[in-house]
Amino acid sequence: MHMNPSVFDIWVFRRARAGTEFLVLHTSQLKADQYFNGGRFWQIPSGAFEPSESVLEGIDRVLGKYRLEAQAVWAAEHTYIIYNRRFEETQVVSVFAAEVAPATGVVDLDPTEHSGSAWLPFEVALDRVHYRGLKDGLRSTQEYATGLPGPAAQLRLR
C-alpha cells in the first residue's frame, strides 16, 4: 500500500464583526456517487504538495482554485493519518490555518467537487464536519491561530 506524506488541509478563516468564521465546502453529489457510495459530507480546502514547492506555494496554489488569497498562514500543530479510498492510499495530512480578508464572501467552486460553501462560526463548523481529523484540525486552529488575542507568532509562516 502506498503512503502519501504530502497531503495537507487548510482551515480558511476570516475575522468578522460577529467573530471568526471558517470556510466549509459541501461535496457534490457527483463526487459522492463516484467515490463515497453516495455519501455527501462537509470538508475544507485540501491538496498535496508538489515535489519542488514550499508550504506557502502549495497553500497559495490550492487557495487560488477558490479565488482566495491568504493574508496570513499558520502551522496548526496537527497532523493525522487516514486511508483515502478515492486515491487508494494512506495519507499523512498536515493541517494549516489561512486567514483571508474579512470581506471575503463567495468562493469559486468546481461543481464536480463541491456543490456549496458556507462561512461558519467555530462551534457550527465543528458540528458540520464529522471526520475526526477535520474536527481535531479545527480545534488546533482555534487554539493556535483564531482563539487567542494574539495568534501564536512562532507558528506563523506568513
Side-chain angles (χ1 to χ4, degrees), residues 41-62:
F41 52 93
W42 290 88
Q43 60 186 155
I44 61 175
S46 64
F49 293 113
E50 300 294 332
S52 64
E53 73 184 351
S54 70
V55 168
L56 291 175
E57 289 168 339
I59 289 170
D60 289 342
R61 175 179 48 80
V62 168

Side-chain angles (χ1 to χ4, degrees), residues 15-16 18 24 28 34 37 51 57 70-71 74 80-81 84 99 102 105 109 111-112 114 116 126 133-134 139 148-149:
R15 298 180 200 269
V24 293
S28 69
Q34 189 170 8
N37 299 321
E57 289 168 339
Q71 296 178 328
W74 288 265
Y80 63 99
I81 299 172
N84 187 320
E99 184 172 5
L109 299 175
T112 64
H114 301 105
L126 189 63
L134 292 176
R139 287 183 189 108
L148 305 169

Side-chain angles (χ1 to χ4, degrees), residues 12-130:
V12 179
F13 66 93
R14 65 184 183 187
R15 298 180 200 269
R17 266 198 188 120
T20 303
E21 298 173 318
F22 297 88
L23 176 65
V24 293
L25 309 169
H26 202 214
T27 57
S28 69
Q29 191 62 59
L30 177 68
K31 180 179 176 179
D33 290 342
Q34 189 170 8
Y35 301 110
F36 304 106
N37 299 321
R40 295 178 69 201
F41 52 93
W42 290 88
Q43 60 186 155
I44 61 175
S46 64
F49 293 113
E50 300 294 332
S52 64
E53 73 184 351
S54 70
V55 168
L56 291 175
E57 289 168 339
I59 289 170
D60 289 342
R61 175 179 48 80
V62 168
L63 292 183
K65 294 176 185 177
Y66 302 96
R67 298 209 186 213
L68 295 169
E69 185 177 338
Q71 296 178 328
V73 175
W74 288 265
E77 287 289 285
H78 182 69
T79 301
Y80 63 99
I81 299 172
I82 61 166
Y83 174 75
N84 187 320
R85 64 191 285 173
R86 178 179 181 179
F87 299 103
E88 297 183 3
E89 65 184 12
T90 299
Q91 297 177 335
V92 178
V93 184
S94 300
V95 180
F96 298 90
E99 184 172 5
V100 296
T104 302
V106 177
V107 297
D108 277 2
L109 299 175
D110 174 349
T112 64
E113 292 286 321
H114 301 105
S115 64
S117 65
W119 291 97
L120 304 173
F122 172 75
E123 292 294 338
V124 178
L126 189 63
D127 187 54
R128 187 74 50 100
V129 296
H130 64 271

